[in-house]
């Protein structure tokens, strides 16, 4: 079974921020989870390098757009590596191979009669590189996203017959009620379609920084069409000598932020239909990270959480865990250093880290360093039995925080189990040696099972822990009937308290 998952591609007019990190981490959790289930995964991320925002930023700096794109694309690649994102490819839309494929697809849209030449006039936001329709414009002709004043623009260009897809889109939404998740964003997209679709400007005559229109080379494609197509073009050339399109298309999940809903849930499927290409299965929309005071993050308000500062103090896994745990996936959420510290100390160090060191220490002390291969506790086994299926079900709906909570309930359960069964008391009584072996085999097995479940969220620390448990080769997700017999080795605290 194949699973193709993508993030939005980031504009290279700026450098990466925590919002980009958040989206990449959430998508990475999905990709890693599917690989763990043995699925054939392709995970794509990358950068959006054409269009007015990039051309304007380059002009302001007095450099060629490609120079700016190269510099900032490298920053995004560095961020992806620092966060241990397991993407299979990093697409850059200034790649010539992407351009060739964009031209092929949009030529098909043209040949099938979905374009025409016309005069476009409208209110335009240069930051969005988008014309705004009347009902989204703020008072004073301002952009609903950037709140800057819009400019009145007119030019002759090629149009895409979006209006021809009113009914097909309504049908898509009716047939695939989970096409857009969560539900309130599905409703929002459906309402936008219901309000009546206007044709879209497909090309730009004044711009040069884009993919050239093959049937009219004086124009370049409007950046959003070039950008959306990245999800499709990458498969064509990501692997040398192999076209991955038949293997992975249609995409299973596009993960995006709520500001780009309309592009992904209305324009994108319409464009694919026009080209005769199958539509993606799901678009998942996450919320926005806000400053610690609940307001939009902004340097001037001093409420920004810097991802690199968190990485330095607490490490990659702690940042990944914190974001997935504290900001309910799908809603907006405030983030700040106090929250990171509280999760780190309270949950990672005291709950998970402590469970790990206690378990390993007791196996060393009472079982000569080897996990006993005896039957595990049937009660604990029963409490863990539903975990893999429950995680699958939640992650199917991209409920990343809810799935993490399911795992954490088990981490807490294991800590309670240690207190309830008090292995140090059992160890004093030779007649209870069998019970002691059962308790320690169960703890080791429980710790192994939660750690396997957590690998999608915290790939590094869980790998260290599984190795210390002698369980690196035991990646099965179920809580087993017997201890796995690993040889444990003592490790320094997984989440050292001194980091704060
Ligand atoms: O929109 N919190 O690029 P982008 C959470 N190039 N997510 C955030 C965020 C925040 N504070 N700020 C931004 C673009 N994002 C286009 C996409 S896709 C074919 C083209 C998210 O760099 C945002 O919602 O502005 C989007 O999903 C992603 O970061 C890239 O944003």
């Amino acid at each position: 079974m194949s699973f193709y998952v993508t993030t939005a591609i980031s504009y290279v007019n700026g450098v990466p921020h925590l919002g980009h990190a958040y989206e990449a981490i959430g998508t990475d959790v999905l990709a890693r989870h599917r690989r763990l289930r043995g699925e054939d995964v392709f995970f794509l991320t990358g950068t959006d390098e054409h269009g007015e925002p990039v051309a304007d930023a380059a002009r302001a700096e007095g450099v060629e757009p490609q120079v700016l794109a190269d510099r900032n694309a490298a920053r995004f690649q560095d961020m992806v590596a620092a966060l241990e994102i397991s993407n299979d490819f990093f697409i850059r839309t200034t790649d010539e191979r992407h351009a060739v494929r964009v031209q092929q697809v949009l030529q098909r849209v043209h040949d099938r009669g979905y374009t025409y030449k016309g005069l476009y006039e409208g209110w335009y936001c240069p930051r969005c590189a988008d014309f705004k329709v009347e009902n989204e414009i703020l008072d004073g002709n301002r952009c609903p996203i950037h709140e800057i004043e819009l400019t009145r623009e007119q030019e002759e260009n090629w149009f895409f017959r979006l209006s021809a897809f009113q009914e097909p889109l309504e049908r898509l939404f009716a047939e695939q009620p989970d096409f857009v998740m969560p539900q309130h964003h599905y409703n929002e997209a459906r309402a936008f379609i219901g309000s009546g679709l206007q044709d879209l400007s497909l090309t730009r005559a004044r711009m040069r920084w884009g993919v050239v229109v093959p049937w009219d080379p004086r124009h370049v494609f409007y950046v959003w069409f070039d950008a959306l197509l990245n999800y499709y073009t990458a498969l064509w050339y990501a692997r040398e000598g192999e076209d991955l399109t038949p293997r992975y298309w249609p995409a299973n999940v596009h993960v995006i932020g709520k500001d780009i809903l309309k592009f992904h849930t209305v324009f994108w499927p319409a464009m694919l239909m026009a080209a005769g290409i199958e539509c993606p299965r799901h678009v998942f929309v996450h919320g926005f990270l806000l400053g610690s005071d609940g307001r939009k993050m902004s340097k001037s308000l001093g409420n920004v959480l810097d991802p690199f500062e968190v990485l330095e103090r607490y490490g990659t896994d702690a940042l990944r865990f914190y974001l997935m745990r504290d900001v309910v996936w799908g809603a907006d959420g405030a983030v700040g250093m106090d929250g990171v510290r509280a999760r780190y100390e309270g949950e990672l160090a005291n709950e998970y880290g402590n469970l790990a060191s206690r378990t390993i220490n007791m196996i060393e002390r009472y079982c000569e360093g080897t996990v006993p291969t005896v039957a595990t506790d049937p009660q604990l086994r029963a409490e863990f039995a539903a975990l893999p299926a429950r995680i699958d079900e939640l992650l199917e709906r991209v409920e990343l925080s809810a799935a993490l909570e399911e795992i954490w309930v088990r981490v807490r359960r294991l800590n309670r189990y240690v207190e309830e069964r008090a292995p140090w008391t059992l160890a004093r009584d030779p007649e209870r040696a069998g019970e002691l072996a059962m308790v320690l085999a169960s703890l080791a097995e429980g710790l192994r099972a939660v750690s396997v479940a957590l690998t999608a969220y915290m790939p590094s620390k869980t790998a260290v822990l599984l190795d210390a448990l002698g369980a690196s080769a035991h990646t099965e997700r179920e809580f087993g009937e017997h201890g796995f017999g690993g040889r444990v080795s003592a490790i320094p605290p997984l989440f050292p308290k001194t980091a704060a």
Side-chain angles (χ1 to χ4, degrees), residues 423-450:
W424 46 90
T425 308
L426 300 177
R428 278 190 230 117
D429 183 351
E431 283 187 14
R432 299 179 80 182
E435 195 181 336
L436 177 64
M438 188 274 295
V439 167
L440 291 179
S442 305
L443 275 175
E445 178 57 10
L447 185 56
R448 188 201 62 76
V450 291

Side-chain angles (χ1 to χ4, degrees), residues 210-248:
V211 175
V212 172
V213 176
W215 66 87
D216 189 351
R218 288 167 307 143
H219 292 242
V220 297
F221 287 112
Y222 168 44
V223 62
W224 266 102
F225 287 86
D226 151 14
L228 286 163
L229 273 165
N230 90 87
Y231 304 129
Y232 186 72
T233 65
L235 295 178
W236 188 56
Y237 68 90
R239 201 148 301 159
E240 199 69 43
E242 191 186 353
D243 179 3
L244 297 172
T245 318
R247 182 158 153 200
Y248 294 111

